[in-house]
């Protein structure tokens, strides 16, 4: 009989990690889930309040930059599998300060790989690394990122994620570490830190603050409901092949300006404002340095091989997301006070 699983999920207090934690804790009572998170500005225990008393769940505060701590953690908890989501995740912050990204995303991933390589004695394990479509670079008007697309990262964030992907693959080829990787497009949904486009715009519209659209707003992103990403991670973890990469996307491309205008319409309706009122807040600001023009994912492989598809339409997901932010004022207020104000003023001062 195979050994019971104790899955280490890193970054489980963050946006996507909290959705993955919730899914795994509820759906798999037979697994022990250890959530390792440093609780940086992006990590928030409120995101996982509803699972903290579950008998198959444990939270550990810790830093993946600390190799000795990871070695002990694997031994103490008898970690059998890893779902690695912990990262510095915001592109703009990587431009103003790349070192945290290099230390957590590259060195932290290397530390985790070393802990797994040293602790695991056979191949009955999974080291699943969660990555981004940004490693593929930037597309023009045509084409899609496929799993075979050459890497061409262009921001410190995407370069750090690309480095970590390469390390994960190198550990598979060199040491036969049983790895899986997925590269996903832009996620949206509840519990996303309001430095990212959608929650930032919702919050600003609500408070009648300017809506800072970079450049001309013509950059294109492919948006995916975060719970669909969590479902894809579940499917890949359980049925994806060892050593393989899977792209995950929403078949849902929007220019930033079209998306912001659509959000304005939803918010006008929800806040009983006159049609067109929120759009007046749009303010075109200095573009992001090295701003990638377009991301678009070809997710045919996960669809055909593992049967995964997005479950809800963007219009429906966005309504739900807006409702969540409007109904969770305390959550938003708690994280947009203090340090967030300083970040916001420094970043948008121009
Ligand atoms: P997030 O910033 O919301 O959360 C990151 C979490 O990692 C936080 O809880 C933080 O406390 C934790 N963390 C950071 N540094 C750590 C360290 N040194 N040790 C331990 N914990 C640490 O990020 P997210 O948006 O939820 O992204 C999660 C993962 O998914 C990342 O690897 C990201 O690259 C990837 N990803 C994100 C998106 C997206 O649209 N957000 C899309 C594709 C892939
Ligand atoms: O593609 C996946 C990636 O998506 C993830 O790997 C990253 O972790 C995640 O942060 C996200 O990166 P982006 O840079 O695409 O997301 P962000 O929400 O920061 O920006 C989305 C688009 O909106 C981008 O083209 C920049 C633009 N933007 C963003 C902000 C914060 C603006 O125009 N104004 C803004 O204020």
């Amino acid at each position: 009989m195979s050994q019971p699983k104790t899955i280490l999920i890193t970054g489980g207090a963050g946006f996507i990690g909290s959705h993955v934690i919730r899914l795994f804790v509820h759906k798999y009572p037979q697994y022990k889930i250890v959530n390792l998170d440093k609780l940086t500005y992006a990590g928030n225990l409120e995101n996982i309040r509803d699972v903290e008393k579950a008998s198959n769940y444990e939270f550990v505060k810790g830093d993946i930059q600390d190799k000795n701590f990871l070695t002990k953690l694997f031994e103490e908890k008898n970690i059998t599998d890893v779902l690695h989501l912990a990262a510095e995740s915001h592109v703009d912050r990587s431009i103003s300060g790349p070192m945290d990204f290099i230390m957590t995303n590259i060195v932290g991933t290397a530390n985790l790989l070393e802990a797994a390589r040293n602790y695991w004695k056979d191949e009955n394990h999974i080291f699943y690394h969660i990555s981004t479509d940004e490693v593929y670079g930037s597309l023009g008007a045509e084409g899609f990122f496929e799993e075979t697309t050459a890497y061409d990262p262009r921001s410190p964030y995407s370069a750090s994620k690309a480095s970590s992907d390469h390390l994960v693959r190198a550990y598979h080829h060199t040491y036969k570490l049983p790895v899986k990787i997925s590269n996903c497009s832009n996620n949206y949904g509840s519990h996303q830190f309001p430095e990212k486009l959608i929650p930032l715009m919702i919050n600003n519209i609500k408070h009648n603050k300017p809506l800072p659209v970079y450049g001309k707003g013509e950059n294109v992103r492919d948006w995916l409901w975060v719970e669909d990403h969590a479902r894809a991670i579940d499917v890949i973890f359980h049925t994806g092949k060892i050593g393989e990469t899977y792209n995950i996307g929403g078949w849902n491309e929007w220019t930033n300006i079209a998306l912001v205008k659509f959000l304005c319409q939803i918010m006008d309706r929800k806040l009983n404002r006159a049609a067109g009122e929120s759009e007046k807040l749009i303010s075109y600001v200095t573009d992001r340095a090295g701003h990638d023009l377009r991301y678009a994912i070809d997710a045919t492989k996960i669809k055909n091989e593992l049967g995964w598809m997005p479950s809800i339409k963007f219009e429906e997901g966005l309504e739900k997301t807006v409702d969540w932010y409007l109904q969770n004022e305390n959550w938003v207020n708690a994280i947009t006070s203090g340090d967030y104000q300083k970040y916001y003023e420094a970043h948008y001062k121009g």
Side-chain angles (χ1 to χ4, degrees), residues 69-280:
F69 160 76
L70 289 178
T71 303
K72 282 194 210 117
L73 186 73
F74 269 67
E75 285 164 9
E76 273 168 24
K77 307 290 178 194
N78 187 17
I79 300 300
T80 59
D81 301 86
V82 173
L83 277 178
H84 177 34
L85 293 107
E88 289 293 339
S89 69
H90 193 44
V91 174
D92 291 326
R93 289 187 195 248
S94 84
I95 294 167
S96 51
M99 283 317 292
D100 284 346
F101 289 73
I102 289 161
M103 294 311 295
T104 285
N105 300 0
I106 307 177
V107 177
T109 301
N111 287 339
L112 263 180
L113 287 164
E114 276 294 274
R117 176 170 86 91
N118 291 327
Y119 186 63
W120 294 344
K121 300 297 169 220
D122 54 42
E123 290 179 10
N124 297 322
H125 306 278
I126 299 169
F127 187 108
Y128 178 4
H129 176 62
I130 281 67
S131 192
T132 170
D133 60 356
E134 299 198 13
V135 297
Y136 298 120
S138 180
L139 291 164
E142 303 287 316
F144 295 90
F145 298 135
E146 295 172 13
E147 285 81 357
T148 50
T149 301
Y151 274 32
D152 183 22
R154 293 146 48 99
S155 73
Y157 164 70
S158 54
S160 69
K161 291 296 290 188
S163 306
S164 62
D165 293 10
H166 288 320
L167 281 169
V168 172
R169 286 197 188 97
Y171 271 63
H172 177 61
H173 289 291
T174 311
Y175 305 115
K176 306 282 173 267
L177 196 76
V179 310
K180 301 181 184 187
I181 298 181
S182 57
N183 297 83
C184 187
S185 61
N186 286 59
N187 287 213
Y188 72 97
S190 70
H191 303 90
Q192 186 169 30
F193 194 84
E195 63 190 351
K196 307 284 185 345
L197 182 74
I198 290 179
L200 183 139
M201 293 297 169
I202 294 173
N203 195 38
N204 284 16
I205 295 169
K206 186 179 166 202
H207 293 103
N208 271 306
K209 285 174 66 178
L211 309 180
V213 173
Y214 297 162
K216 294 182 180 156
E218 286 166 354
N219 303 67
V220 175
R221 297 292 183 264
D222 167 38
W223 293 95
L224 179 70
W225 175 239
V226 63
E227 292 180 28
D228 281 333
H229 188 188
R231 277 197 310 110
I233 289 172
D234 178 15
V235 168
I236 292 168
F237 180 76
H238 287 98
T239 60
K241 290 199 196 102
I242 293 293
E244 294 277 318
T245 294
Y246 297 89
N247 279 353
I248 308 169
W251 287 281
N252 178 40
E253 290 181 51
W254 287 73
T255 61
N256 292 335
I257 189 62
L259 172 49
V260 171
K261 285 185 177 171
F262 185 42
L263 261 179
C264 287
Q265 285 169 22
I266 298 177
M267 292 290 285
D268 280 345
R269 182 161 38 80
K270 302 264 179 204
L271 299 174
N272 294 319
R273 290 182 183 167
E277 199 177 324
S278 300
E279 256 190 55
K280 292 183 197 149

Side-chain angles (χ1 to χ4, degrees), residues 272-292:
N272 294 319
R273 290 182 183 167
E277 199 177 324
S278 300
E279 256 190 55
K280 292 183 197 149
L281 297 167
I282 290 174
S283 161
Y284 293 93
V285 299
T286 310
D287 208 353
R288 174 184 280 175
H291 198 172
D292 287 339

